[in-house]
Amino acid sequence: MARKKFLMGNWKMNHTIAEAIRFCEDVKNDSLLKIARSKGVLLGVAPSFLSLQQVKRHAHGLIVASQDCHYEDHGAYTSSVSVPMLNEIGINWSIIGHSERRTYDNDTSFVCNRKIKTLVKNGFHVVYCVGETLKEYEEGLTKDIVKEQILVGLMNVSKEDISKIVIAYEPVWSIGTGKNASSEIAEDVCSYIRSLIEKLYGKVAASKILILYGGSVKPNNIHEYLLQENVDGALVGGASLKSESFKELLENI
Ligand code: PEP
Protein backbone atom coordinates (compact mmCIF):
# COMPACT_ATOMS: atom_id res chain seq x y z
CA MET A 1 0.00 0.00 0.00
CA ALA A 2 1.31 3.44 -0.90
CA ARG A 3 2.43 5.57 2.01
CA LYS A 4 0.72 8.90 2.66
CA LYS A 5 2.67 12.11 2.15
CA PHE A 6 3.24 14.37 5.12
CA LEU A 7 3.91 18.11 5.22
CA MET A 8 4.73 19.48 8.65
CA GLY A 9 5.59 23.07 9.51
CA ASN A 10 7.93 23.72 12.42
CA TRP A 11 7.30 27.27 13.56
CA LYS A 12 10.12 27.31 16.11
CA MET A 13 9.99 30.51 18.23
CA ASN A 14 7.77 32.37 15.78
CA HIS A 15 4.15 33.53 15.74
CA THR A 16 2.28 35.09 18.64
CA ILE A 17 -1.03 33.47 19.53
CA ALA A 18 -2.90 36.02 17.38
CA GLU A 19 -0.63 35.33 14.41
CA ALA A 20 -1.01 31.59 14.88
CA ILE A 21 -4.82 31.86 14.90
CA ARG A 22 -4.69 34.01 11.76
CA PHE A 23 -2.66 31.26 10.05
CA CYS A 24 -5.34 28.70 10.98
CA GLU A 25 -8.08 30.92 9.60
CA ASP A 26 -6.14 31.28 6.33
CA VAL A 27 -5.79 27.50 6.17
CA LYS A 28 -9.56 27.23 6.51
CA ASN A 29 -10.36 30.01 4.03
CA ASP A 30 -7.96 28.58 1.45
CA SER A 31 -9.47 25.09 1.92
CA LEU A 32 -5.99 23.68 2.47
CA LEU A 33 -7.26 20.57 4.20
CA LYS A 34 -9.52 19.81 1.28
CA ILE A 35 -6.58 20.17 -1.10
CA ALA A 36 -4.45 18.01 1.21
CA ARG A 37 -7.09 15.29 1.36
CA SER A 38 -7.44 15.21 -2.40
CA LYS A 39 -3.67 14.78 -2.73
CA GLY A 40 -3.40 12.20 0.07
CA VAL A 41 -1.23 14.52 2.16
CA LEU A 42 -1.24 14.81 5.95
CA LEU A 43 -0.81 18.43 7.02
CA GLY A 44 0.54 19.60 10.36
CA VAL A 45 2.13 22.47 12.24
CA ALA A 46 4.21 22.69 15.40
CA PRO A 47 3.55 26.02 17.16
CA SER A 48 5.14 27.30 20.37
CA PHE A 49 3.86 25.76 23.61
CA LEU A 50 1.98 28.99 24.32
CA SER A 51 -0.02 28.81 21.09
CA LEU A 52 -0.80 25.09 21.13
CA GLN A 53 -4.20 25.29 22.79
CA GLN A 54 -5.51 28.02 20.51
CA VAL A 55 -4.07 26.45 17.39
CA LYS A 56 -5.65 23.14 18.32
CA ARG A 57 -8.96 24.96 18.76
CA HIS A 58 -8.70 26.69 15.38
CA ALA A 59 -6.86 23.93 13.51
CA HIS A 60 -9.86 22.69 11.48
CA GLY A 61 -8.25 19.24 11.10
CA LEU A 62 -4.57 20.16 10.93
CA ILE A 63 -2.24 17.92 12.94
CA VAL A 64 -0.94 20.05 15.81
CA ALA A 65 2.37 19.03 17.39
CA SER A 66 4.47 20.36 20.22
CA GLN A 67 8.09 21.12 19.36
CA ASP A 68 9.37 19.20 22.37
CA CYS A 69 8.29 17.84 25.75
CA HIS A 70 9.84 16.56 28.98
CA TYR A 71 10.31 12.85 29.63
CA GLU A 72 8.97 13.03 33.19
CA ASP A 73 5.26 13.43 33.88
CA HIS A 74 5.85 16.11 36.52
CA GLY A 75 8.56 17.40 38.85
CA ALA A 76 11.17 20.08 39.48
CA TYR A 77 12.01 20.94 35.87
CA THR A 78 11.54 24.69 35.63
CA SER A 79 10.12 25.87 32.29
CA SER A 80 9.45 22.36 30.99
CA VAL A 81 6.16 20.99 29.68
CA SER A 82 5.13 17.39 30.30
CA VAL A 83 3.24 14.90 28.17
CA PRO A 84 0.15 14.84 30.49
CA MET A 85 0.01 18.66 30.19
CA LEU A 86 0.00 18.39 26.41
CA ASN A 87 -2.52 15.58 26.54
CA GLU A 88 -4.85 17.71 28.64
CA ILE A 89 -5.15 20.28 25.85
CA GLY A 90 -5.74 17.64 23.18
CA ILE A 91 -2.24 17.44 21.74
CA ASN A 92 -1.07 13.99 20.67
CA TRP A 93 1.86 14.74 18.38
CA SER A 94 5.35 15.97 19.27
CA ILE A 95 8.58 16.70 17.45
CA ILE A 96 11.61 15.27 19.27
CA GLY A 97 15.33 15.71 18.68
CA HIS A 98 15.24 18.77 16.46
CA SER A 99 18.83 19.81 15.84
CA GLU A 100 18.27 23.16 17.56
CA ARG A 101 17.32 21.27 20.72
CA ARG A 102 20.23 18.89 20.30
CA THR A 103 22.57 21.89 19.89
CA TYR A 104 21.24 24.44 22.40
CA ASP A 105 19.56 22.21 24.98
CA ASN A 106 21.76 19.15 24.94
CA ASP A 107 19.04 16.78 23.79
CA THR A 108 21.24 13.76 23.19
CA SER A 109 19.84 10.68 21.48
CA PHE A 110 19.58 9.14 24.94
CA VAL A 111 17.43 12.05 26.20
CA CYS A 112 15.37 11.82 23.00
CA ASN A 113 14.84 8.13 23.71
CA ARG A 114 13.42 8.88 27.15
CA LYS A 115 11.07 11.46 25.66
CA ILE A 116 9.97 9.16 22.83
CA LYS A 117 9.22 6.33 25.26
CA THR A 118 7.10 8.61 27.44
CA LEU A 119 5.25 9.92 24.39
CA VAL A 120 4.40 6.57 22.81
CA LYS A 121 3.40 5.15 26.20
CA ASN A 122 0.84 7.98 26.31
CA GLY A 123 -0.41 7.29 22.80
CA PHE A 124 1.38 10.20 21.10
CA HIS A 125 2.79 10.25 17.58
CA VAL A 126 6.37 11.45 17.30
CA VAL A 127 8.35 13.16 14.58
CA TYR A 128 11.89 12.14 15.49
CA CYS A 129 14.59 14.31 13.89
CA VAL A 130 18.00 12.98 12.98
CA GLY A 131 20.86 14.43 10.95
CA GLU A 132 24.54 15.23 10.83
CA THR A 133 26.44 18.51 11.26
CA LEU A 134 28.46 20.09 8.45
CA LYS A 135 31.72 18.78 9.96
CA GLU A 136 30.31 15.28 10.19
CA TYR A 137 29.03 15.52 6.62
CA GLU A 138 32.42 16.68 5.35
CA GLU A 139 34.12 13.83 7.21
CA GLY A 140 31.81 11.31 5.54
CA LEU A 141 30.15 10.37 8.84
CA THR A 142 26.52 10.99 7.88
CA LYS A 143 25.35 7.38 8.09
CA ASP A 144 27.30 6.64 11.29
CA ILE A 145 25.67 9.62 12.99
CA VAL A 146 22.20 8.79 11.73
CA LYS A 147 22.64 5.16 12.78
CA GLU A 148 23.55 6.19 16.35
CA GLN A 149 20.59 8.57 16.49
CA ILE A 150 18.20 5.86 15.29
CA LEU A 151 19.56 3.01 17.41
CA VAL A 152 19.72 5.03 20.63
CA GLY A 153 16.66 7.19 20.01
CA LEU A 154 14.44 4.18 19.33
CA MET A 155 15.97 1.89 21.98
CA ASN A 156 13.22 -0.25 23.58
CA VAL A 157 10.52 1.27 21.40
CA SER A 158 8.33 -1.73 20.64
CA LYS A 159 7.25 -3.09 17.28
CA GLU A 160 3.74 -1.91 18.06
CA ASP A 161 4.86 1.61 18.95
CA ILE A 162 7.08 2.09 15.91
CA SER A 163 3.86 2.72 13.98
CA LYS A 164 3.54 5.98 15.96
CA ILE A 165 6.95 7.26 14.81
CA VAL A 166 7.76 9.45 11.82
CA ILE A 167 11.47 10.03 11.13
CA ALA A 168 12.70 13.36 9.78
CA TYR A 169 16.15 13.40 8.20
CA GLU A 170 17.42 16.95 8.61
CA PRO A 171 21.07 17.56 7.80
CA VAL A 172 22.00 20.31 10.29
CA TRP A 173 23.99 22.18 7.65
CA SER A 174 20.87 22.65 5.57
CA ILE A 175 18.51 23.94 8.26
CA GLY A 176 17.69 27.61 7.81
CA THR A 177 20.80 28.09 5.65
CA GLY A 178 19.34 27.96 2.15
CA LYS A 179 21.93 25.22 1.42
CA ASN A 180 19.53 22.35 0.94
CA ALA A 181 20.88 18.84 0.50
CA SER A 182 20.39 17.49 -3.01
CA SER A 183 17.45 15.19 -3.58
CA GLU A 184 20.01 12.39 -4.22
CA ILE A 185 21.50 12.88 -0.74
CA ALA A 186 18.02 13.00 0.80
CA GLU A 187 17.04 9.76 -0.96
CA ASP A 188 20.30 8.03 -0.07
CA VAL A 189 19.97 8.79 3.65
CA CYS A 190 16.21 8.24 3.83
CA SER A 191 16.57 4.83 2.17
CA TYR A 192 19.39 4.04 4.63
CA ILE A 193 17.04 4.97 7.50
CA ARG A 194 14.37 2.66 6.05
CA SER A 195 16.91 -0.16 5.90
CA LEU A 196 17.77 0.44 9.57
CA ILE A 197 14.08 0.28 10.48
CA GLU A 198 13.80 -2.96 8.52
CA LYS A 199 16.69 -4.48 10.48
CA LEU A 200 15.16 -3.37 13.78
CA TYR A 201 11.45 -3.89 13.13
CA GLY A 202 11.07 -5.96 9.97
CA LYS A 203 9.90 -5.40 6.40
CA VAL A 204 6.30 -4.43 7.11
CA ALA A 205 7.22 -1.69 9.62
CA ALA A 206 9.91 -0.40 7.25
CA SER A 207 7.48 -0.25 4.34
CA LYS A 208 4.95 1.69 6.42
CA ILE A 209 7.08 4.20 8.33
CA LEU A 210 7.00 7.78 7.04
CA ILE A 211 10.41 9.35 6.49
CA LEU A 212 10.61 13.09 5.83
CA TYR A 213 13.37 15.34 4.55
CA GLY A 214 13.94 18.72 6.19
CA GLY A 215 16.36 21.54 5.49
CA SER A 216 15.66 24.66 3.43
CA VAL A 217 12.64 23.09 1.74
CA LYS A 218 10.80 25.76 -0.28
CA PRO A 219 7.84 25.77 -2.66
CA ASN A 220 10.27 25.67 -5.59
CA ASN A 221 12.18 22.58 -4.48
CA ILE A 222 9.69 20.44 -2.49
CA HIS A 223 8.60 18.56 -5.60
CA GLU A 224 12.04 17.06 -6.33
CA TYR A 225 12.29 15.66 -2.80
CA LEU A 226 8.84 14.17 -2.89
CA LEU A 227 9.67 12.41 -6.16
CA GLN A 228 12.21 10.27 -4.30
CA GLU A 229 11.07 6.77 -3.45
CA ASN A 230 11.98 6.93 0.22
CA VAL A 231 11.09 10.55 0.95
CA ASP A 232 7.50 10.67 2.18
CA GLY A 233 7.27 14.34 2.99
CA ALA A 234 8.96 17.39 4.40
CA LEU A 235 9.56 19.06 7.74
CA VAL A 236 9.69 22.75 6.93
CA GLY A 237 10.77 25.71 9.05
CA GLY A 238 10.98 29.13 7.36
CA ALA A 239 8.70 28.38 4.42
CA SER A 240 5.91 27.13 6.70
CA LEU A 241 5.42 30.40 8.54
CA LYS A 242 3.25 32.22 6.02
CA SER A 243 0.03 30.53 5.01
CA GLU A 244 0.55 31.51 1.33
CA SER A 245 3.90 29.76 1.26
CA PHE A 246 2.51 26.76 3.20
CA LYS A 247 -0.21 26.53 0.56
CA GLU A 248 2.37 26.65 -2.25
CA LEU A 249 4.35 23.88 -0.57
CA LEU A 250 1.23 21.75 -0.49
CA GLU A 251 0.27 22.57 -4.07
CA ASN A 252 3.75 21.64 -5.30
CA ILE A 253 3.77 18.21 -3.68
C1 PEP B 1 13.43 22.93 10.52
O1 PEP B 1 13.39 23.78 11.37
O2 PEP B 1 13.16 21.75 10.82
C2 PEP B 1 13.82 23.30 9.15
C3 PEP B 1 13.96 22.36 8.27
O3 PEP B 1 13.98 24.63 8.90
P1 PEP B 1 14.13 25.32 7.46
O4 PEP B 1 13.07 24.75 6.58
O5 PEP B 1 13.95 26.78 7.71
O6 PEP B 1 15.50 24.98 6.96
Side-chain angles (χ1 to χ4, degrees):
M1 202 177 71
R3 292 182 294 273
K4 283 214 164 217
K5 302 291 180 197
F6 191 7
L7 173 61
M8 165 142 272
N10 172 20
W11 289 351
K12 313 191 187 199
M13 198 175 69
N14 292 294
H15 284 338
T16 61
I17 295 174
E19 288 163 345
I21 293 174
R22 214 168 303 133
F23 181 101
C24 295
E25 293 310 323
D26 289 348
V27 163
K28 184 182 168 200
N29 295 335
D30 290 343
S31 307
L32 288 206
L33 283 151
K34 212 167 140 198
I35 300 173
R37 262 195 303 277
S38 73
K39 293 171 85 91
V41 177
L42 298 170
L43 262 194
V45 291
S48 73
F49 282 129
L50 215 52
S51 300
L52 279 173
Q53 195 165 11
Q54 289 291 347
V55 172
K56 184 75 192 173
R57 195 168 291 158
H58 292 83
H60 309 296
L62 273 177
I63 288 171
V64 183
S66 65
Q67 297 173 14
D68 184 42
C69 68
H70 202 278
Y71 49 77
E72 294 289 359
D73 284 354
H74 52 82
Y77 299 100
T78 301
S79 89
S80 295
V81 173
S82 73
V83 174
M85 291 171 185
L86 293 168
N87 200 14
E88 188 183 32
I89 57 167
I91 301 299
N92 62 357
W93 278 82
S94 183
I95 295 175
I96 292 296
H98 190 278
S99 70
E100 284 145 23
R101 290 223 34 104
R102 289 183 189 262
T103 305
Y104 307 132
D105 298 278
N106 202 25
D107 273 10
T108 60
S109 297
F110 184 70
V111 171
C112 292
N113 177 251
R114 294 186 73 177
K115 294 180 178 188
I116 290 171
K117 283 188 295 190
T118 302
L119 285 160
V120 294
K121 189 180 80 191
N122 284 280
F124 275 58
H125 299 267
V126 178
V127 179
Y128 177 47
C129 303
V130 299
E132 80 288 1
T133 62
L134 181 58
K135 186 165 176 289
E136 291 159 347
Y137 171 71
E138 286 172 346
E139 289 173 358
L141 295 174
T142 299
K143 289 184 181 168
D144 295 325
I145 297 298
V146 166
K147 185 176 183 184
E148 180 274 341
Q149 292 169 333
I150 296 281
L151 293 186
V152 178
L154 299 182
M155 204 165 42
N156 295 324
V157 172
S158 69
K159 212 166 176 170
E160 191 194 343
D161 285 337
I162 197 67
S163 61
K164 298 176 192 146
I165 310 283
V166 172
I167 309 276
Y169 168 56
E170 299 208 301
V172 180
W173 48 273
S174 71
I175 297 178
T177 59
K179 284 191 220 149
N180 46 312
S182 67
S183 52
E184 290 79 17
I185 294 176
E187 169 61 14
D188 184 37
V189 182
C190 290
S191 82
Y192 176 65
I193 292 170
R194 203 174 297 285
S195 74
L196 288 175
I197 298 296
E198 182 173 335
K199 279 198 191 109
L200 293 169
Y201 296 97
K203 260 194 183 352
V204 175
S207 70
K208 285 187 178 166
I209 195 164
L210 297 187
I211 304 177
L212 318 181
Y213 167 75
S216 298
V217 173
K218 308 285 177 215
N220 66 4
N221 63 22
I222 191 165
H223 186 61
E224 56 185 281
Y225 291 109
L226 271 289
L227 282 178
Q228 307 306 311
E229 191 183 334
N230 287 287
V231 180
D232 302 312
L235 181 57
V236 184
S240 74
L241 288 173
K242 292 212 166 85
S243 57
E244 307 85 65
S245 158
F246 195 60
K247 183 178 182 192
E248 278 183 63
L249 286 165
L250 173 64
E251 284 171 344
N252 291 349
I253 285 180

